mmCIF file of all heavy atoms in Angstrom:
data_model
loop_
_atom_site.group_PDB
_atom_site.id
_atom_site.type_symbol
_atom_site.label_atom_id
_atom_site.label_comp_id
_atom_site.label_asym_id
_atom_site.label_seq_id
_atom_site.Cartn_x
_atom_site.Cartn_y
_atom_site.Cartn_z
ATOM 1 N N ASN A 1 0.780 -1.200 0.023
ATOM 2 C CA ASN A 1 0.018 0.043 -0.020
ATOM 3 C C ASN A 1 0.867 1.249 0.074
ATOM 4 O O ASN A 1 0.478 2.270 -0.622
ATOM 5 C CB ASN A 1 -0.971 -0.045 1.216
ATOM 6 C CG ASN A 1 -2.007 -1.055 1.143
ATOM 7 O OD1 ASN A 1 -2.326 -1.549 0.000
ATOM 8 N ND2 ASN A 1 -2.713 -1.388 2.209
ATOM 9 N N ILE A 2 2.012 1.191 0.620
ATOM 10 C CA ILE A 2 2.903 2.391 0.735
ATOM 11 C C ILE A 2 3.385 2.656 -0.731
ATOM 12 O O ILE A 2 3.465 3.787 -1.181
ATOM 13 C CB ILE A 2 4.031 2.105 1.737
ATOM 14 C CG1 ILE A 2 3.554 2.145 3.103
ATOM 15 C CG2 ILE A 2 5.155 3.189 1.529
ATOM 16 C CD1 ILE A 2 4.474 1.642 4.211
ATOM 17 N N TYR A 3 3.824 1.531 -1.380
ATOM 18 C CA TYR A 3 4.284 1.691 -2.745
ATOM 19 C C TYR A 3 3.145 2.245 -3.693
ATOM 20 O O TYR A 3 3.413 3.095 -4.445
ATOM 21 C CB TYR A 3 4.773 0.349 -3.370
ATOM 22 C CG TYR A 3 6.089 -0.121 -2.758
ATOM 23 C CD1 TYR A 3 6.405 -1.391 -2.453
ATOM 24 C CD2 TYR A 3 7.144 0.886 -2.755
ATOM 25 C CE1 TYR A 3 7.618 -1.844 -1.986
ATOM 26 C CE2 TYR A 3 8.486 0.454 -2.312
ATOM 27 C CZ TYR A 3 8.632 -0.824 -1.970
ATOM 28 O OH TYR A 3 9.901 -1.189 -1.515
ATOM 29 N N ALA A 4 1.888 1.729 -3.496
ATOM 30 C CA ALA A 4 0.715 2.099 -4.362
ATOM 31 C C ALA A 4 0.462 3.656 -4.121
ATOM 32 O O ALA A 4 0.227 4.278 -5.006
ATOM 33 C CB ALA A 4 -0.487 1.327 -3.904
ATOM 34 N N ASN A 5 0.518 4.053 -2.809
ATOM 35 C CA ASN A 5 0.264 5.490 -2.550
ATOM 36 C C ASN A 5 1.324 6.448 -3.178
ATOM 37 O O ASN A 5 1.008 7.549 -3.542
ATOM 38 C CB ASN A 5 0.157 5.802 -1.093
ATOM 39 C CG ASN A 5 -1.118 5.243 -0.466
ATOM 40 O OD1 ASN A 5 -2.218 5.462 -1.022
ATOM 41 N ND2 ASN A 5 -1.025 4.711 0.729
ATOM 42 N N ALA A 6 2.553 5.832 -3.406
ATOM 43 C CA ALA A 6 3.664 6.591 -4.055
ATOM 44 C C ALA A 6 3.633 6.439 -5.505
ATOM 45 O O ALA A 6 4.538 6.934 -6.229
ATOM 46 C CB ALA A 6 4.956 6.158 -3.394
ATOM 47 N N GLY A 7 2.756 5.599 -6.047
ATOM 48 C CA GLY A 7 2.653 5.381 -7.467
ATOM 49 C C GLY A 7 3.744 4.465 -7.972
ATOM 50 O O GLY A 7 3.996 4.407 -9.131
ATOM 51 N N LYS A 8 4.381 3.683 -7.051
ATOM 52 C CA LYS A 8 5.440 2.653 -7.507
ATOM 53 C C LYS A 8 4.825 1.338 -7.851
ATOM 54 O O LYS A 8 4.964 0.385 -7.007
ATOM 55 C CB LYS A 8 6.497 2.700 -6.393
ATOM 56 C CG LYS A 8 7.092 4.016 -6.125
ATOM 57 C CD LYS A 8 8.220 4.024 -4.990
ATOM 58 C CE LYS A 8 9.457 3.398 -5.579
ATOM 59 N NZ LYS A 8 10.636 3.555 -4.719
ATOM 60 N N TRP A 9 4.153 1.238 -8.914
ATOM 61 C CA TRP A 9 3.350 0.027 -9.257
ATOM 62 C C TRP A 9 4.271 -1.182 -9.467
ATOM 63 O O TRP A 9 3.829 -2.237 -9.233
ATOM 64 C CB TRP A 9 2.451 0.355 -10.418
ATOM 65 C CG TRP A 9 1.493 1.518 -10.138
ATOM 66 C CD1 TRP A 9 1.597 2.723 -10.608
ATOM 67 C CD2 TRP A 9 0.415 1.455 -9.147
ATOM 68 N NE1 TRP A 9 0.610 3.588 -10.046
ATOM 69 C CE2 TRP A 9 -0.074 2.833 -9.079
ATOM 70 C CE3 TRP A 9 -0.084 0.481 -8.277
ATOM 71 C CZ2 TRP A 9 -1.213 3.104 -8.327
ATOM 72 C CZ3 TRP A 9 -1.144 0.815 -7.537
ATOM 73 C CH2 TRP A 9 -1.700 2.113 -7.562
ATOM 74 N N LYS A 10 5.430 -1.037 -10.002
ATOM 75 C CA LYS A 10 6.320 -2.174 -10.180
ATOM 76 C C LYS A 10 6.678 -2.845 -8.830
ATOM 77 O O LYS A 10 6.730 -4.002 -8.748
ATOM 78 C CB LYS A 10 7.562 -1.791 -10.989
ATOM 79 C CG LYS A 10 7.372 -1.447 -12.412
ATOM 80 C CD LYS A 10 8.656 -1.145 -13.150
ATOM 81 C CE LYS A 10 8.420 -0.871 -14.614
ATOM 82 N NZ LYS A 10 9.704 -0.561 -15.322
ATOM 83 N N ASP A 11 6.908 -1.955 -7.925
ATOM 84 C CA ASP A 11 7.194 -2.453 -6.524
ATOM 85 C C ASP A 11 5.969 -3.149 -5.843
ATOM 86 O O ASP A 11 6.160 -4.059 -5.126
ATOM 87 C CB ASP A 11 7.698 -1.289 -5.576
ATOM 88 C CG ASP A 11 9.042 -0.831 -6.060
ATOM 89 O OD1 ASP A 11 9.931 -1.675 -6.381
ATOM 90 O OD2 ASP A 11 9.245 0.421 -6.091
ATOM 91 N N VAL A 12 4.740 -2.554 -6.163
ATOM 92 C CA VAL A 12 3.483 -3.192 -5.678
ATOM 93 C C VAL A 12 3.394 -4.622 -6.209
ATOM 94 O O VAL A 12 3.139 -5.564 -5.489
ATOM 95 C CB VAL A 12 2.300 -2.366 -6.012
ATOM 96 C CG1 VAL A 12 1.078 -3.120 -5.770
ATOM 97 C CG2 VAL A 12 2.261 -0.957 -5.434
ATOM 98 N N ALA A 13 3.657 -4.683 -7.548
ATOM 99 C CA ALA A 13 3.526 -5.950 -8.213
ATOM 100 C C ALA A 13 4.587 -6.926 -7.663
ATOM 101 O O ALA A 13 4.257 -8.187 -7.396
ATOM 102 C CB ALA A 13 3.677 -5.849 -9.723
ATOM 103 N N ALA A 14 5.760 -6.491 -7.412
ATOM 104 C CA ALA A 14 6.751 -7.381 -6.856
ATOM 105 C C ALA A 14 6.501 -7.934 -5.499
ATOM 106 O O ALA A 14 6.662 -9.146 -5.160
ATOM 107 C CB ALA A 14 8.113 -6.641 -6.775
ATOM 108 N N VAL A 15 5.899 -7.070 -4.570
ATOM 109 C CA VAL A 15 5.536 -7.519 -3.272
ATOM 110 C C VAL A 15 4.424 -8.510 -3.361
ATOM 111 O O VAL A 15 4.451 -9.545 -2.721
ATOM 112 C CB VAL A 15 5.057 -6.316 -2.406
ATOM 113 C CG1 VAL A 15 4.473 -6.808 -1.068
ATOM 114 C CG2 VAL A 15 6.225 -5.363 -2.116
ATOM 115 N N ARG A 16 3.351 -8.300 -4.135
ATOM 116 C CA ARG A 16 2.231 -9.154 -4.231
ATOM 117 C C ARG A 16 2.645 -10.509 -4.871
ATOM 118 O O ARG A 16 2.089 -11.547 -4.529
ATOM 119 C CB ARG A 16 1.094 -8.478 -4.939
ATOM 120 C CG ARG A 16 0.623 -7.181 -4.304
ATOM 121 C CD ARG A 16 -0.750 -6.816 -4.540
ATOM 122 N NE ARG A 16 -1.116 -5.548 -3.697
ATOM 123 C CZ ARG A 16 -2.395 -5.188 -3.595
ATOM 124 N NH1 ARG A 16 -3.343 -5.749 -4.206
ATOM 125 N NH2 ARG A 16 -2.621 -4.134 -2.858
ATOM 126 N N ARG A 17 3.602 -10.436 -5.873
ATOM 127 C CA ARG A 17 3.984 -11.634 -6.484
ATOM 128 C C ARG A 17 4.795 -12.489 -5.461
ATOM 129 O O ARG A 17 4.621 -13.670 -5.426
ATOM 130 C CB ARG A 17 4.946 -11.244 -7.677
ATOM 131 C CG ARG A 17 5.292 -12.500 -8.488
ATOM 132 C CD ARG A 17 5.918 -12.108 -9.854
ATOM 133 N NE ARG A 17 6.997 -11.148 -9.778
ATOM 134 C CZ ARG A 17 6.898 -9.879 -10.148
ATOM 135 N NH1 ARG A 17 5.771 -9.388 -10.664
ATOM 136 N NH2 ARG A 17 7.896 -9.003 -9.920
ATOM 137 N N SER A 18 5.541 -11.841 -4.675
ATOM 138 C CA SER A 18 6.294 -12.462 -3.612
ATOM 139 C C SER A 18 5.374 -13.246 -2.648
ATOM 140 O O SER A 18 5.661 -14.298 -2.161
ATOM 141 C CB SER A 18 7.227 -11.502 -2.882
ATOM 142 O OG SER A 18 7.889 -12.147 -1.743
ATOM 143 N N MET A 19 4.244 -12.469 -2.256
ATOM 144 C CA MET A 19 3.274 -13.073 -1.417
ATOM 145 C C MET A 19 2.605 -14.271 -1.972
ATOM 146 O O MET A 19 2.397 -15.316 -1.310
ATOM 147 C CB MET A 19 2.182 -12.051 -0.998
ATOM 148 C CG MET A 19 2.625 -10.831 -0.167
ATOM 149 S SD MET A 19 1.325 -9.652 0.098
ATOM 150 C CE MET A 19 0.183 -10.575 1.095
ATOM 151 N N THR A 20 2.347 -14.224 -3.270
ATOM 152 C CA THR A 20 1.768 -15.365 -3.977
ATOM 153 C C THR A 20 2.768 -16.580 -3.990
ATOM 154 O O THR A 20 2.379 -17.715 -3.692
ATOM 155 C CB THR A 20 1.340 -14.975 -5.363
ATOM 156 O OG1 THR A 20 0.441 -13.876 -5.336
ATOM 157 C CG2 THR A 20 0.732 -16.119 -6.152
ATOM 158 N N ASP A 21 4.033 -16.277 -4.363
ATOM 159 C CA ASP A 21 4.987 -17.312 -4.349
ATOM 160 C C ASP A 21 5.215 -18.048 -3.032
ATOM 161 O O ASP A 21 5.429 -19.323 -3.001
ATOM 162 C CB ASP A 21 6.299 -16.772 -4.889
ATOM 163 C CG ASP A 21 6.300 -16.247 -6.353
ATOM 164 O OD1 ASP A 21 5.343 -16.686 -7.057
ATOM 165 O OD2 ASP A 21 7.186 -15.519 -6.738
ATOM 166 N N ARG A 22 5.160 -17.245 -1.969
ATOM 167 C CA ARG A 22 5.353 -17.805 -0.655
ATOM 168 C C ARG A 22 3.954 -18.268 0.051
ATOM 169 O O ARG A 22 4.030 -18.586 1.195
ATOM 170 C CB ARG A 22 6.061 -16.823 0.308
ATOM 171 C CG ARG A 22 7.483 -16.634 -0.162
ATOM 172 C CD ARG A 22 8.310 -15.709 0.851
ATOM 173 N NE ARG A 22 7.895 -14.340 0.685
ATOM 174 C CZ ARG A 22 7.962 -13.393 1.641
ATOM 175 N NH1 ARG A 22 8.479 -13.718 2.774
ATOM 176 N NH2 ARG A 22 7.575 -12.134 1.409
ATOM 177 N N LYS A 23 2.953 -18.108 -0.775
ATOM 178 C CA LYS A 23 1.616 -18.536 -0.247
ATOM 179 C C LYS A 23 1.200 -17.768 1.033
ATOM 180 O O LYS A 23 0.577 -18.373 1.956
ATOM 181 C CB LYS A 23 1.498 -20.055 -0.038
ATOM 182 C CG LYS A 23 1.722 -20.872 -1.314
ATOM 183 C CD LYS A 23 1.667 -22.296 -1.050
ATOM 184 C CE LYS A 23 1.959 -23.148 -2.439
ATOM 185 N NZ LYS A 23 1.855 -24.561 -2.162
ATOM 186 N N ILE A 24 1.453 -16.467 1.025
ATOM 187 C CA ILE A 24 1.133 -15.646 2.147
ATOM 188 C C ILE A 24 -0.295 -15.027 1.823
ATOM 189 O O ILE A 24 -0.403 -14.334 0.820
ATOM 190 C CB ILE A 24 2.137 -14.520 2.388
ATOM 191 C CG1 ILE A 24 3.565 -15.094 2.709
ATOM 192 C CG2 ILE A 24 1.658 -13.658 3.527
ATOM 193 C CD1 ILE A 24 4.627 -14.038 2.784
ATOM 194 N N LYS A 25 -1.212 -15.296 2.713
ATOM 195 C CA LYS A 25 -2.534 -14.811 2.448
ATOM 196 C C LYS A 25 -2.895 -13.642 3.320
ATOM 197 O O LYS A 25 -2.526 -13.568 4.514
ATOM 198 C CB LYS A 25 -3.579 -15.947 2.663
ATOM 199 C CG LYS A 25 -3.519 -17.049 1.725
ATOM 200 C CD LYS A 25 -4.596 -18.023 1.939
ATOM 201 C CE LYS A 25 -4.604 -19.202 0.890
ATOM 202 N NZ LYS A 25 -5.660 -20.177 1.196
ATOM 203 N N LYS A 26 -3.523 -12.609 2.727
ATOM 204 C CA LYS A 26 -3.927 -11.384 3.429
ATOM 205 C C LYS A 26 -5.006 -11.745 4.538
ATOM 206 O O LYS A 26 -5.892 -12.476 4.240
ATOM 207 C CB LYS A 26 -4.434 -10.338 2.464
ATOM 208 C CG LYS A 26 -4.944 -9.076 3.096
ATOM 209 C CD LYS A 26 -5.450 -8.108 2.047
ATOM 210 C CE LYS A 26 -6.023 -6.865 2.716
ATOM 211 N NZ LYS A 26 -6.621 -5.955 1.672
ATOM 212 N N GLU A 27 -4.748 -11.159 5.665
ATOM 213 C CA GLU A 27 -5.804 -11.356 6.801
ATOM 214 C C GLU A 27 -7.102 -10.669 6.372
ATOM 215 O O GLU A 27 -7.120 -9.505 6.038
ATOM 216 C CB GLU A 27 -5.224 -10.715 8.054
ATOM 217 C CG GLU A 27 -6.236 -10.844 9.240
ATOM 218 C CD GLU A 27 -5.728 -10.138 10.458
ATOM 219 O OE1 GLU A 27 -4.682 -9.545 10.473
ATOM 220 O OE2 GLU A 27 -6.432 -10.209 11.523
ATOM 221 N N PRO A 28 -8.142 -11.504 6.369
ATOM 222 C CA PRO A 28 -9.428 -10.848 5.995
ATOM 223 C C PRO A 28 -9.926 -9.763 6.988
ATOM 224 O O PRO A 28 -9.878 -10.017 8.121
ATOM 225 C CB PRO A 28 -10.412 -12.060 5.826
ATOM 226 C CG PRO A 28 -9.867 -13.029 6.747
ATOM 227 C CD PRO A 28 -8.280 -12.869 6.742
ATOM 228 N N GLY A 29 -10.394 -8.673 6.409
ATOM 229 C CA GLY A 29 -10.930 -7.627 7.352
ATOM 230 C C GLY A 29 -12.386 -7.984 7.594
ATOM 231 O O GLY A 29 -13.227 -8.383 6.713
ATOM 232 N N TRP A 30 -12.803 -7.933 8.887
ATOM 233 C CA TRP A 30 -14.238 -8.061 9.171
ATOM 234 C C TRP A 30 -14.693 -6.973 10.114
ATOM 235 O O TRP A 30 -13.903 -6.290 10.778
ATOM 236 C CB TRP A 30 -14.419 -9.394 9.907
ATOM 237 C CG TRP A 30 -13.683 -9.684 11.144
ATOM 238 C CD1 TRP A 30 -12.552 -10.394 11.281
ATOM 239 C CD2 TRP A 30 -13.990 -9.164 12.487
ATOM 240 N NE1 TRP A 30 -12.112 -10.419 12.590
ATOM 241 C CE2 TRP A 30 -12.969 -9.688 13.276
ATOM 242 C CE3 TRP A 30 -15.017 -8.465 13.014
ATOM 243 C CZ2 TRP A 30 -12.955 -9.386 14.671
ATOM 244 C CZ3 TRP A 30 -14.949 -8.103 14.327
ATOM 245 C CH2 TRP A 30 -13.952 -8.567 15.249
ATOM 246 N N SER A 31 -16.009 -6.754 10.099
ATOM 247 C CA SER A 31 -16.609 -5.766 11.036
ATOM 248 C C SER A 31 -17.902 -6.325 11.581
ATOM 249 O O SER A 31 -18.584 -7.191 10.917
ATOM 250 C CB SER A 31 -17.025 -4.502 10.227
ATOM 251 O OG SER A 31 -15.793 -3.786 9.717
ATOM 252 N N ALA A 32 -18.169 -6.054 12.776
ATOM 253 C CA ALA A 32 -19.319 -6.607 13.513
ATOM 254 C C ALA A 32 -20.211 -5.476 13.989
ATOM 255 O O ALA A 32 -19.678 -4.399 14.365
ATOM 256 C CB ALA A 32 -18.895 -7.485 14.662
ATOM 257 N N ILE A 33 -21.506 -5.750 13.931
ATOM 258 C CA ILE A 33 -22.474 -4.778 14.503
ATOM 259 C C ILE A 33 -23.624 -5.485 15.239
ATOM 260 O O ILE A 33 -24.000 -6.600 14.858
ATOM 261 C CB ILE A 33 -23.074 -3.949 13.331
ATOM 262 C CG1 ILE A 33 -24.045 -2.804 13.897
ATOM 263 C CG2 ILE A 33 -23.779 -4.864 12.298
ATOM 264 C CD1 ILE A 33 -24.481 -1.858 12.813
ATOM 265 N N GLU A 34 -24.065 -4.871 16.331
ATOM 266 C CA GLU A 34 -25.095 -5.488 17.197
ATOM 267 C C GLU A 34 -26.397 -4.787 16.798
ATOM 268 O O GLU A 34 -26.661 -3.579 16.799
ATOM 269 C CB GLU A 34 -24.831 -5.228 18.623
ATOM 270 C CG GLU A 34 -25.831 -5.871 19.585
ATOM 271 C CD GLU A 34 -25.645 -5.499 21.031
ATOM 272 O OE1 GLU A 34 -25.120 -4.405 21.264
ATOM 273 O OE2 GLU A 34 -25.974 -6.351 21.857
ATOM 274 N N VAL A 35 -27.371 -5.709 16.407
ATOM 275 C CA VAL A 35 -28.775 -5.213 16.056
ATOM 276 C C VAL A 35 -29.782 -6.137 16.729
ATOM 277 O O VAL A 35 -29.718 -7.412 16.668
ATOM 278 C CB VAL A 35 -29.035 -5.262 14.561
ATOM 279 C CG1 VAL A 35 -30.474 -4.933 14.190
ATOM 280 C CG2 VAL A 35 -28.080 -4.327 13.780
ATOM 281 N N ASP A 36 -30.589 -5.583 17.581
ATOM 282 C CA ASP A 36 -31.625 -6.302 18.364
ATOM 283 C C ASP A 36 -30.909 -7.429 19.242
ATOM 284 O O ASP A 36 -31.442 -8.541 19.206
ATOM 285 C CB ASP A 36 -32.676 -6.933 17.457
ATOM 286 C CG ASP A 36 -33.487 -5.840 16.783
ATOM 287 O OD1 ASP A 36 -33.714 -4.832 17.400
ATOM 288 O OD2 ASP A 36 -33.926 -6.096 15.669
ATOM 289 N N LYS A 37 -29.834 -7.073 19.796
ATOM 290 C CA LYS A 37 -29.068 -7.904 20.702
ATOM 291 C C LYS A 37 -28.438 -9.069 20.086
ATOM 292 O O LYS A 37 -28.114 -10.109 20.704
ATOM 293 C CB LYS A 37 -29.941 -8.301 21.961
ATOM 294 C CG LYS A 37 -30.526 -7.185 22.720
ATOM 295 C CD LYS A 37 -31.472 -7.575 23.725
ATOM 296 C CE LYS A 37 -32.182 -6.373 24.436
ATOM 297 N NZ LYS A 37 -33.013 -5.716 23.492
ATOM 298 N N VAL A 38 -28.312 -9.067 18.672
ATOM 299 C CA VAL A 38 -27.687 -10.139 17.940
ATOM 300 C C VAL A 38 -26.515 -9.553 17.281
ATOM 301 O O VAL A 38 -26.610 -8.401 16.632
ATOM 302 C CB VAL A 38 -28.610 -10.727 16.937
ATOM 303 C CG1 VAL A 38 -27.937 -11.812 16.069
ATOM 304 C CG2 VAL A 38 -29.885 -11.393 17.626
ATOM 305 N N MET A 39 -25.370 -10.250 17.256
ATOM 306 C CA MET A 39 -24.201 -9.704 16.531
ATOM 307 C C MET A 39 -24.125 -10.275 15.167
ATOM 308 O O MET A 39 -24.368 -11.495 14.838
ATOM 309 C CB MET A 39 -22.896 -10.293 17.242
ATOM 310 C CG MET A 39 -22.729 -9.721 18.729
ATOM 311 S SD MET A 39 -22.789 -7.937 18.935
ATOM 312 C CE MET A 39 -21.268 -7.478 17.901
ATOM 313 N N TYR A 40 -23.884 -9.350 14.193
ATOM 314 C CA TYR A 40 -23.724 -9.688 12.755
ATOM 315 C C TYR A 40 -22.373 -9.314 12.340
ATOM 316 O O TYR A 40 -21.876 -8.202 12.605
ATOM 317 C CB TYR A 40 -24.709 -8.935 11.941
ATOM 318 C CG TYR A 40 -26.211 -9.287 12.158
ATOM 319 C CD1 TYR A 40 -26.925 -8.620 13.263
ATOM 320 C CD2 TYR A 40 -26.855 -10.212 11.436
ATOM 321 C CE1 TYR A 40 -28.258 -8.932 13.490
ATOM 322 C CE2 TYR A 40 -28.174 -10.520 11.660
ATOM 323 C CZ TYR A 40 -28.927 -9.931 12.657
ATOM 324 O OH TYR A 40 -30.205 -10.282 12.952
#
């Protein structure tokens, strides 16, 4: 993301390719909300 914000797209691709090669998976983001005393 730091590379992307700086517009260094080749470096972005290199990092993501490295993650794929090493089978590193991004931690999924989740959000929870309580409605009628039930968590979603």
Side-chain angles (χ1 to χ4, degrees):
N1 290 345
I2 292 169
Y3 283 139
N5 284 321
K8 303 182 74 170
W9 300 107
K10 288 184 179 179
D11 292 316
V12 171
V15 172
R16 300 204 176 193
R17 187 166 52 248
S18 173
M19 290 178 67
T20 302
D21 293 343
R22 288 184 289 157
K23 297 180 180 179
I24 300 173
K25 293 184 178 180
K26 179 181 177 182
E27 180 184 2
W30 58 259
S31 295
I33 183 171
E34 182 186 29
V35 176
D36 295 330
K37 303 175 187 66
V38 177
M39 297 303 300
Y40 295 85

